Amino acid sequence: MYGLGILKGMAVTMKHFVTSYLDDIFWASRGGRYYNDDALAVRQSLEGKGVITVFYPEEKLPVPERFRFVPFLVTDDPPPGQKWGHEWCTSCGICAKVCPPQCIWIERGKQPNGRPKPEPEKFFIDIDICMNCGMCAEFCPFDAIKMDHDYELASYNRTSAHIHDKERLSKPLSYWREIAPKKAAAEAAARDFAEESKKRKKAKKGEDDGREERLAEVMARQLAYKGAQY
Amino acid sequence: MSEMTLEAPVAGVKDHSPEATIALLKERYPEHISDDARDGYEGIIVHPDKIVEISRDLQSELGYNYLASLTGVDLIDDNKLEIVYHTASIKHGGNPLVLKVQVDRDNPVLPSVTPIWPGAEYQEREAFDMYGFQFEGHPDLRRILTWDGFHGYPLRKDWREPFYEEDNKPFGSRWPGGEVFRAEERNLYGKNVQYPAGWMPEGDEIEAETDSYAGITYSRDQSPDIKTEKVTINMGPQHPSTHGVFRMAITLDGETIMGLKPVMGYLHRNHEKIGERNTFIGNIPYTDRLDYISSMSNNHGYVLAVEKLMDATVPERAEWIRILMVELTRIANHLWAIGFLLNDLGALQTPMLYYYIERELILDFFEAASGSRMMCNYMRFGGVAYDLPDDVRGQPVMKFLHDLIYERLPKALNQGDQLITGNEIVRARGMGVGYLSPEDAIAYSAAGPVLRASGVPYDLRKANPYSYYEHLDFDVAVRYNGDIYDRFLIRVDEMQQSLRILQQVLPHLEETEGGAINDGKPQYAIRMPKAGEAYGRVENPKGELGYYVTAKRRDANPARYHVRSPSFINLTALEKMCIGHKVADVVAILGSIDIVLGEVDR
Ligand code: SF4
Ligand code: SF4
């Protein structure tokens, strides 16, 4: 029959229409369908039914640990009364070299005698150019630069507000632990592991067979790379 | 065109491999062919005088009837320019046969192969635009990606872009004495931009613009009884149906299309030049931004090309993860493509949003695995960046994938089938509209669903297998009517096949749990161990995506980086598909090709 195809399609639309109301009714007695964390958690999951719209910015979907937005610099947790602790960055320059659009500028620290100091004097990221690729965080050997989860960076002035300096970029380790707990723990374990094997290697210096230590080190690196599982 | 292009009927030719075919050609043209003896290069160098004859032989009798890719290369050290042709055999599959023609850099004249392979038309225009090749016999040699009044040839090695800093990244100004600056502030008008000497904008550049319409032919008096007037109109660049900034200069007789010229390049950013400045690894996130709907597949093609150059091996788990990612990408892309096609047909939003529910789930998975929904930047040379995540949206990852692949996606396809397939309006608008014959599809170098909907079962996953596709059991989807409706159906078929593949991949993922995902320690500063060229081709959701990469030994940057983009080349056949149809059909025909402007304009 001509028009049957259209009617079949209409039935699908009708089903969606009805389901969305049924889901409203389901949530009515459970705190409502919107502005309710329990409901939000299932709305866009495999169990989601009916309307899947999220009312941003009132509601926000949680982001996964690996989510990456403009990077930040990790510092030690701040001593009382201060905003940050000691910078982890050693100004080795790897992130500046690997950054595909070249939006990281680092001025390496100098000791009074002119030798390089493992600390950046200045550190800039132009977030207009940053492509949020995460390469800097992936290749930093000191876990000193990490990808942030804060994606709301809109501003009124593009030309003056979008070059982030060291102050703007620095965030304490506790922040990283908070936004990416599993990843932070895996990284800490890998660091400890590498530290251990280094110590053992030092203690054994002079003896000729460092094979075991080398293996342990390789494993540690591998672990660090994979971030174990998180 | 005759049957010849579909079959390869040369009597007595048994071996269709590139090597055997090259030997045969050498017998015929001993004077004009020499081996490409450069370190790590393959194929033959052909004298410009004979390229047309040799192309014709390849196309009409030796079975290499498909021009996969044509691109220029600047060999500045030898003061030469080179065109590289990758030709493939639709019937026999296998590796492409590579031809090269070298011409003088100061006088780069060579014959056009467009009369033999119409699919070369836009690619030759691009080579002219980017390098300044003069193709004799080309029907319409104009700039294509840059604007008509552009000065210089931006892919030549000695051309410098505005904001030029250094030839290669990483730039010395970033470390250790990094003093930040905003490049655009240094680019005050004229300082870092090259204009021809004495050039002042006066307003007469407009003339160049009219060139866009020059190739459009008028045929008058088609309908003597009705008085109609021919008009040329522009659809786009800002038009809701062009899926981005894309323009079509259309000549109409009443409502009927008499001629159509696509005008593109509004999103041109010289991706390839950026790629040649970049380090090898730095290119991976840039490939995300080509066809931004399917970044995983883009990554895949590029890493395959570089892995060929590096001789890298990929551990088993990484290969399975790659296939998982690219097949999910294919589904996500086709859900999008069909949704938009229906949008173009007038089914505004509703079906599209139904398809998106499942696409969202796939993107959620990508986000959990790679950190980004669309700009995945997930693959690395010798593996992938991270293992699968622990969980996705509150579910353990394997359970999530299982439910997605066995429940949600099949259900969504089923629902789409009920919603659309039988719909009388879709059938009326789609059937017989935008027809492309199999011969034309091959001749125009169409790829992917466009080619296969025209009855040509050519799929690189089977024809020239890569990764683990040889070990997987799936069929090449093919439809025979070559119209809009079949291009819709074939995408559904392909999603079904992708689901089949995914179902086979899941057990392997479970088996290899905990296995290595990268071959050795990932390096950020890769120096190419040997010189050479590589062409990495994958069956991207939109068609053959190829990366032609060459490198010098110990270099950290590609010497040449070219993207064979399916969206761009599929557009070559657009005029052919549109002529004789109505304006409203153009919108749907364009939708059925499924282009992404990020990839068209590069
Ligand atoms: S790679 Fe890490 S330690 Fe090195 S400069 Fe960058 S942030 Fe600092
Ligand atoms: S995320 Fe990518 S683009 Fe941004 S600073 Fe890091 S390396 Fe550079």
Side-chain angles (χ1 to χ4, degrees):
Chain A
M1 186 190 87
Y2 192 81
L4 197 66
I6 295 178
L7 285 178
K8 252 173 139 182
M10 295 294 232
V12 174
T13 323
M14 198 61 188
K15 213 171 111 206
H16 274 265
F17 181 75
V18 174
T19 315
S20 68
Y21 282 102
L22 290 180
D23 205 52
D24 279 357
I25 294 167
F26 174 82
W27 283 104
S29 58
R30 292 170 178 81
R33 193 164 193 276
Y34 300 101
Y35 313 117
N36 173 3
D37 288 345
D38 297 339
L40 180 63
V42 290
R43 203 178 310 156
Q44 283 206 357
S45 73
L46 285 171
E47 279 79 45
K49 287 192 188 79
V51 180
I52 66 162
T53 318
V54 172
F55 287 169
Y56 180 84
E58 285 83 11
E59 295 180 321
K60 288 177 193 166
L61 281 176
V63 292
E65 281 206 11
R66 290 178 195 177
F67 181 77
R68 46 188 156 83
F69 213 67
V70 172
F72 68 94
L73 292 173
V74 179
T75 75
D76 278 336
D77 284 334
Q82 278 175 26
K83 224 171 152 192
W84 313 285
H86 181 258
E87 293 272 347
W88 285 24
C89 173
T90 63
S91 71
C92 72
I94 287 178
C95 57
K97 286 179 212 157
V98 76
C99 175
Q102 296 284 288
C103 66
I104 303 181
W105 282 261
I106 303 166
E107 190 181 324
R108 188 165 56 191
K110 273 207 185 88
Q111 288 170 352
N113 63 6
R115 290 255 193 84
K117 180 168 78 170
E119 216 172 83
E121 195 65 41
K122 293 178 186 161
F123 200 113
F124 302 101
I125 295 181
D126 187 338
I127 62 159
D128 283 339
I129 300 178
C130 174
M131 64 206 291
N132 307 325
C133 67
M135 294 275 203
C136 49
E138 193 175 322
F139 289 99
C140 172
F142 301 96
D143 287 334
I145 188 166
K146 292 290 161 207
M147 299 307 284
D148 209 340
H149 287 188
D150 176 16
Y151 48 82
E152 291 171 325
L153 292 179
S155 71
Y156 284 101
N157 194 340
R158 182 173 71 86
T159 49
S160 63
H162 286 186
I163 293 182
H164 287 186
D165 58 8
K166 201 166 94 177
E167 200 163 295
R168 175 79 163 75
L169 288 169
S170 295
K171 290 188 179 177
L173 178 63
S174 52
Y175 174 75
W176 176 236
R177 287 215 182 104
E178 191 186 307
I179 62 172
K182 281 197 219 163
K183 197 170 172 178
E187 285 165 0
R191 276 196 304 272
D192 290 347
F193 198 57
E195 195 61 32
E196 273 299 301
S197 71
K198 215 160 128 195
K199 263 192 213 149
R200 251 182 292 143
K201 203 161 147 192
K202 241 187 192 159
K204 266 203 183 171
K205 212 168 192 180
E207 291 172 41
D208 63 338
D209 190 34
R211 191 170 170 274
E212 225 166 88
E213 278 65 39
R214 276 205 303 279
L215 266 179
E217 217 185 302
V218 169
M219 269 177 64
R221 276 208 235 103
Q222 194 62 81
L223 193 71
Y225 175 61
K226 286 174 66 178
Q229 271 282 325
Y230 51 80
Chain B
M1 240 166 270
S2 67
E3 283 267 287
M4 300 265 272
T5 45
L6 273 181
E7 304 296 317
V10 169
V13 178
K14 292 249 164 56
D15 186 354
H16 295 276
S17 68
E19 295 75 24
T21 312
I22 284 175
L24 212 145
L25 282 175
K26 274 192 193 155
E27 264 170 44
R28 285 192 198 173
Y29 306 94
E31 304 282 298
H32 298 92
I33 292 179
S34 58
D35 283 319
D36 192 345
R38 286 170 290 180
D39 225 6
Y41 281 63
E42 55 175 323
I44 44 175
I45 299 183
V46 173
H47 193 278
D49 291 348
K50 281 282 178 277
I51 182 67
V52 173
E53 276 96 328
I54 290 174
S55 302
R56 188 170 295 126
D57 286 3
L58 282 173
Q59 190 262 0
S60 59
E61 48 168 327
L62 298 179
Y64 281 81
N65 52 351
Y66 185 77
L67 180 70
S69 156
L70 181 160
T71 187
V73 180
D74 185 5
L75 307 170
I76 190 166
D77 297 336
D78 308 334
N79 199 35
K80 278 188 185 144
L81 288 176
E82 182 181 78
I83 291 275
V84 184
Y85 307 81
H86 284 88
T87 63
S89 166
I90 292 283
K91 190 170 177 205
H92 302 286
N95 288 328
L97 191 158
V98 193
L99 306 171
K100 283 154 198 150
V101 172
Q102 294 184 343
V103 289
D104 186 15
R105 197 161 179 273
D106 305 315
N107 182 30
V109 186
L110 74 162
S112 163
V113 295
T114 304
I116 297 158
W117 282 300
E121 184 179 346
Y122 292 176
Q123 301 185 69
E124 287 189 337
R125 274 178 70 187
E126 188 188 340
F128 160 70
D129 193 359
M130 296 291 137
Y131 288 97
F133 286 98
Q134 299 293 332
F135 293 99
E136 286 177 335
H138 190 284
D140 184 22
L141 198 61
R142 287 180 291 124
R143 288 194 179 267
I144 186 163
L145 295 177
T146 57
W147 56 294
D148 302 279
F150 192 87
H151 176 68
Y153 299 111
L155 273 178
R156 288 199 181 192
K157 284 288 174 191
D158 49 5
W159 190 89
R160 289 176 173 185
E161 64 275 29
F163 308 114
Y164 171 82
E165 231 187 302
E166 271 175 54
D167 274 354
N168 293 130
K169 291 173 184 176
F171 297 145
S173 66
R174 301 301 195 265
W175 180 86
E179 195 48 57
V180 71
F181 62 90
R182 296 180 59 243
E184 52 187 282
E185 275 158 21
R186 293 195 176 174
N187 184 36
L188 298 173
Y189 185 69
K191 263 212 183 141
N192 205 2
V193 186
Q194 296 166 1
Y195 296 106
W199 183 81
M200 277 298 289
E202 284 158 351
D204 54 1
E205 298 78 26
I206 288 302
E207 267 175 35
E209 167 68 24
T210 52
D211 286 354
S212 310
Y213 315 119
I216 294 176
T217 49
Y218 294 76
S219 65
R220 298 195 179 273
D221 305 323
Q222 288 237 317
S223 41
D225 305 337
I226 310 166
K227 194 171 171 328
T228 55
E229 255 179 58
K230 277 120 201 144
V231 277
T232 299
I233 59 156
N234 277 308
M235 272 179 89
Q238 280 84 24
H239 192 282
S241 74
T242 53
H243 302 196
V245 259
F246 174 71
R247 176 155 67 103
M248 290 167 281
I250 304 175
T251 301
L252 296 173
D253 180 355
E255 275 269 334
T256 311
I257 314 271
M258 311 300 291
L260 182 150
K261 293 275 163 199
V263 184
M264 50 192 121
Y266 297 93
L267 270 182
H268 180 62
R269 54 212 181 265
N270 220 346
H271 178 87
E272 294 177 7
K273 187 85 171 180
I274 297 173
E276 287 163 22
R277 300 238 187 276
N278 266 344
T279 57
F280 284 103
I281 197 164
N283 267 338
I284 300 174
Y286 277 89
T287 62
D288 291 341
R289 284 138 177 97
L290 285 166
D291 168 5
Y292 41 80
I293 313 296
S294 26
S295 62
M296 288 283 189
S297 324
N298 301 349
N299 286 181
H300 198 195
Y302 178 63
V303 297
L304 280 182
V306 177
E307 278 163 7
K308 270 190 204 167
L309 277 176
M310 296 174 41
D311 284 335
T313 52
V314 183
E316 197 187 338
R317 181 165 177 80
E319 288 281 22
W320 292 122
I321 294 181
R322 283 182 179 185
I323 295 185
L324 170 78
M325 294 299 177
V326 299
E327 291 306 325
L328 283 175
T329 301
R330 193 178 316 278
I331 296 177
N333 178 84
H334 285 351
L335 290 174
W336 167 289
I338 293 177
F340 262 99
L341 174 62
L342 293 166
N343 224 0
D344 292 340
L345 284 171
L348 279 181
Q349 312 296 353
T350 305
M352 184 171 94
L353 288 174
Y354 289 173
Y355 281 124
Y356 275 21
I357 298 174
E358 271 67 26
R359 179 172 173 271
E360 277 301 298
L361 292 172
I362 295 176
L363 296 193
D364 282 345
F365 170 64
F366 286 171
E367 189 182 33
S370 74
S372 186
R373 303 168 78 76
M374 291 169 79
M375 302 293 115
C376 296
N377 183 20
Y378 184 65
M379 303 203 186
R380 297 287 178 271
F381 311 130
V384 295
Y386 313 98
D387 209 330
L388 295 181
D390 266 355
D391 43 39
V392 185
R393 288 258 174 269
Q395 301 271 2
V397 65
M398 289 317 282
K399 178 170 188 314
F400 182 90
L401 287 174
H402 198 275
D403 284 6
L404 186 66
I405 289 164
Y406 281 94
E407 307 249 327
R408 290 300 293 263
L409 289 172
K411 234 192 236 167
L413 294 189
N414 212 351
Q415 168 190 299
D417 185 48
Q418 294 215 351
L419 189 63
I420 304 300
T421 314
N423 186 302
E424 283 79 4
I425 302 172
V426 173
R427 293 166 77 99
R429 293 280 320 264
M431 284 180 163
V433 179
Y435 173 68
L436 192 66
S437 70
E439 291 81 10
D440 283 342
I442 295 170
Y444 280 94
S445 300
V450 179
L451 181 67
R452 291 189 288 270
S454 288
V456 184
Y458 185 71
D459 185 322
L460 289 177
R461 292 174 294 172
K462 284 267 197 240
N464 195 358
Y466 51 94
S467 195
Y468 282 173
Y469 280 109
E470 276 167 301
H471 309 304
L472 291 164
D473 185 23
F474 66 100
D475 298 319
V476 175
V478 59
R479 294 267 169 176
Y480 297 93
N481 295 322
D483 54 13
I484 296 178
Y485 189 65
D486 269 17
R487 277 178 225 129
F488 154 68
L489 290 178
I490 195 140
R491 292 197 167 90
V492 180
D493 298 347
E494 283 187 15
M495 287 194 278
Q496 302 281 14
Q497 295 303 326
S498 290
L499 281 179
R500 256 178 90 187
I501 294 175
L502 288 168
Q503 289 167 1
Q504 295 166 54
V505 167
L506 282 185
H508 289 292
L509 286 175
E510 266 153 18
E511 255 166 48
T512 55
E513 181 90 56
I517 52 146
N518 203 305
D519 159 39
K521 186 175 179 273
Q523 287 179 314
Y524 71 92
I526 293 157
R527 299 225 162 243
M528 209 35 79
K530 58 187 176 56
E533 64 173 352
Y535 182 64
R537 53 204 308 232
V538 291
E539 190 68 39
N540 159 298
K542 298 188 169 58
E544 171 173 353
L545 175 69
Y547 290 88
Y548 178 69
V549 184
T550 73
K552 295 193 183 121
R553 205 174 102 82
R554 311 276 323 136
D555 262 11
N557 316 74
R560 175 77 179 105
Y561 165 76
H562 170 70
V563 184
R564 184 261 186 235
S565 111
S567 295
F568 172 67
I569 295 171
N570 282 350
L571 280 178
T572 322
L574 179 64
E575 181 175 26
K576 183 95 194 168
M577 292 185 216
C578 287
I579 284 185
H581 293 294
K582 303 274 187 272
V583 184
D585 295 327
V586 172
V587 174
I589 293 169
L590 187 67
S592 75
I593 301 180
D594 181 22
I595 57 166
V596 159
L597 269 303
E599 190 182 64
V600 173
D601 293 343
R602 284 158 295 144

